[in-house]
Amino acid sequence: MKNILLLGATGSIGDSVLDVISQNQDKLNLIGISINSNVSKAKKIIQKFNPSHLYIEDSNSFNAFEKQPELKLYNNKKGLEDIINLSEIDIIVSAISGFAGLESTYISSRTGKTILLANKESIVAGGDFILSEAKKFNTTILPIDSEHNAIFQCLPPDQDIQDVKKVTITASGGPFLNSDLSELQKVTKEQALSHPNWSMGSKISIDSATLVNKCLELIEAKYLFNLDEKYFELVVHPQSIIHSIVTYLDGSSICQLSNPDMRVPIAHALSGKNRLPLDFNALDFSSLNLSFQEFPKDRMQIQNLAREVCNVGGLSGVIFNAANEIAVDNFLKGQIKFTEIYDVIFRTFDISIMSNEMSLDAINQMDIETRIKAEKVVKSIA
């Protein structure tokens, strides 16, 4: 039996993790969860899975659980450290969305436990720092984003990369597949959130629509697999069946296929020696029709900026991520146009001063400074 702490239990990734646990309760036990403020959903999770530990980020939601003596409650930074460091925990699932997941990923990296990582932003912003901490404390990080988990499955068991020639990361193309950027000036929030293949939270849905999500995944993959950015190719694959492809020096290409379902990579990462059974939607190979397209030329500027982040390193990933989060937030609020998300990222990046200092304080400070600059850019555009 593996004891699991689920950070970000009420989000869309949390839903998928909980479903995998529900189907394998003889092997997996949910010992603890963390939430921000979604009290009603948290209560449903507690009723079904009976975890004994609960971390609540929003202090105003704390009293909603005080009359449940079977629950040990945690709050504030010390409480986060305490719940993550519980000796009973075997696996920590990092499913908090956005930069907000950085601190918990950092604390988890110092535990010596196994981390299932869905919070790509923490690696984009602090990849060198977090991965060095994980190595120092003998912490295992397993990716559960579908693309990175696919790469992980296609590499040799010992993750030896010396024979790798190229890694292809696929993108669905989002809701605006085959649309030129010039045609997206009047895109509504509802249109941008309507992903054709995946059911996701609003932030990642917008990232998919802009293709910035692939750029974040490129940066994350560079760190997770210790490969230079030149090894990675981004291609559009509208069906979202092949999630990544690893091509070797001898010309062999190995890919991972599944229907678009986050439970598949999660189940793989939660598996030990033997894979966990899952009630999945099987592929019908007799009717499978797979196609690929090049990354849109009018979106290459954002991909090139992501490659620059890979090569520059330092705190450049913090700037890229923070500028994007501010841009997406303002688009969702109706403050800027869809296409202006790119403008906010580029202009914020241009006025930011790079630094190679890597510490949690330096990352947090750069994040704060970048968000202030990005908000100023938004005001100049709006």
Side-chain angles (χ1 to χ4, degrees):
M1 184 71 73
K2 296 176 181 177
N3 288 326
I4 297 167
L5 171 64
L6 175 54
L7 304 174
T10 58
S12 60
I13 299 295
D15 290 341
S16 296
V17 173
L18 292 170
D19 193 32
V20 174
I21 294 173
S22 181
Q23 294 187 48
N24 292 275
Q25 293 190 49
D26 58 328
K27 301 179 183 72
L28 305 174
N29 173 49
L30 185 68
I31 194 172
I33 63 173
S34 84
I35 69 165
N36 182 18
S37 59
N38 194 336
V39 170
S40 60
K41 191 168 183 179
K43 285 187 173 181
K44 291 177 183 177
I45 294 170
I46 291 165
Q47 183 177 18
K48 181 174 181 178
F49 293 92
N50 197 32
S52 51
H53 301 270
L54 170 64
Y55 173 84
I56 309 163
E57 178 69 23
D58 177 34
S59 56
N60 294 326
S61 303
F62 201 84
N63 59 6
F65 301 93
E66 287 183 325
K67 294 182 180 179
Q68 295 182 247
E70 72 279 7
L71 269 177
K72 184 167 183 182
L73 303 180
Y74 302 81
N75 188 235
N76 65 45
K77 183 176 179 179
K78 185 180 183 306
L80 184 63
E81 292 176 348
D82 288 345
I83 192 172
I84 287 174
N85 282 287
L86 286 170
S87 60
E88 308 99 292
I89 294 171
D90 301 304
I91 297 172
I92 301 167
V93 182
S94 178
I96 298 172
S97 177
F99 185 81
L102 173 74
E103 186 166 33
S104 58
T105 303
Y106 165 69
I107 296 169
S108 301
S109 72
R110 298 166 60 88
T111 62
K113 304 179 190 297
T114 296
I115 303 174
L116 269 56
L117 185 69
N119 179 248
K120 66 174 66 68
E121 292 86 354
S122 60
I123 300 299
V124 170
D128 284 329
F129 179 62
I130 288 174
L131 292 176
S132 66
E133 291 297 295
K135 186 176 181 180
K136 189 189 307 180
F137 288 88
N138 200 29
T139 299
T140 300
I141 297 179
L142 300 177
I144 55 175
D145 272 340
S146 59
E147 296 81 5
H148 300 90
N149 183 264
I151 297 169
F152 185 84
Q153 292 195 55
C154 293
L155 288 173
D158 59 2
Q159 299 296 287
D160 189 355
I161 60 173
Q162 66 177 359
D163 292 335
V164 173
K165 177 72 173 178
K166 182 175 69 173
V167 177
T168 303
I169 299 174
T170 62
S172 67
F176 308 126
L177 178 69
N178 299 324
S179 295
D180 292 336
L181 202 55
S182 59
E183 300 172 333
L184 305 179
Q185 296 286 335
K186 296 182 180 180
V187 161
T188 66
K189 178 174 74 172
E190 290 71 26
Q191 288 172 323
L193 289 171
S194 181
H195 197 284
N197 299 340
W198 297 92
S199 175
M200 306 178 291
S202 58
K203 195 267 180 182
I204 192 171
S205 294
I206 301 302
D207 284 347
S208 179
T210 59
L211 293 178
V212 169
N213 197 42
K214 289 303 123 180
C215 299
L216 294 169
E217 288 173 6
L218 167 64
I219 299 167
E220 182 187 12
K222 178 259 185 187
Y223 285 115
L224 288 179
F225 301 105
N226 195 29
L227 282 168
D228 190 277
E229 56 84 13
K230 67 184 180 183
Y231 282 86
F232 295 98
E233 174 189 35
L234 304 183
V235 301
V236 174
H237 169 51
Q239 296 81 24
S240 295
I241 298 296
I242 293 178
H243 302 291
S244 284
I245 307 164
V246 176
T247 301
Y248 288 90
L249 294 172
D250 62 1
S252 299
S253 291
I254 299 176
C255 64
Q256 186 268 338
L257 299 82
S258 67
N259 275 308
D261 184 346
M262 279 303 300
R263 299 175 308 154
V264 174
I266 290 166
H268 171 263
L270 283 171
S271 298
K273 186 177 180 181
N274 301 111
R275 295 194 180 224
L276 295 174
L278 194 66
D279 179 18
F280 64 93
N281 181 20
L283 291 169
D284 180 5
F285 288 97
S286 63
S287 62
L288 210 54
N289 182 18
L290 305 179
S291 62
F292 299 89
Q293 302 167 210
E294 65 179 0
F295 198 88
K297 285 185 168 60
D298 58 5
R299 257 57 63 93
M300 279 303 297
Q301 188 180 359
I302 194 69
Q303 184 185 147
N304 290 337
L305 183 60
R307 291 185 183 277
E308 182 180 339
V309 168
C310 291
N311 292 319
V312 171
L315 297 177
S316 61
V318 184
I319 299 168
F320 188 93
N321 180 72
N324 178 59
E325 288 195 7
I326 291 297
V328 170
D329 183 55
N330 278 280
F331 168 70
L332 290 171
K333 290 177 180 176
Q335 299 298 313
I336 61 173
K337 297 176 183 177
F338 178 81
T339 52
E340 290 172 339
I341 292 173
Y342 303 103
D343 297 331
V344 173
I345 297 171
F346 295 137
R347 288 174 57 180
T348 304
F349 208 87
D350 285 344
I351 62 175
S352 298
I353 300 172
M354 300 296 175
S355 170
N356 288 320
E357 181 186 355
M358 291 303 293
S359 68
L360 192 60
D361 287 342
I363 292 169
N364 283 322
Q365 185 59 38
M366 179 59 76
D367 179 73
I368 292 169
E369 293 175 7
T370 302
R371 288 171 191 271
I372 292 170
K373 291 175 181 176
E375 289 287 5
K376 290 180 179 178
V377 172
V378 168
K379 288 180 182 178
S380 73
I381 290 174

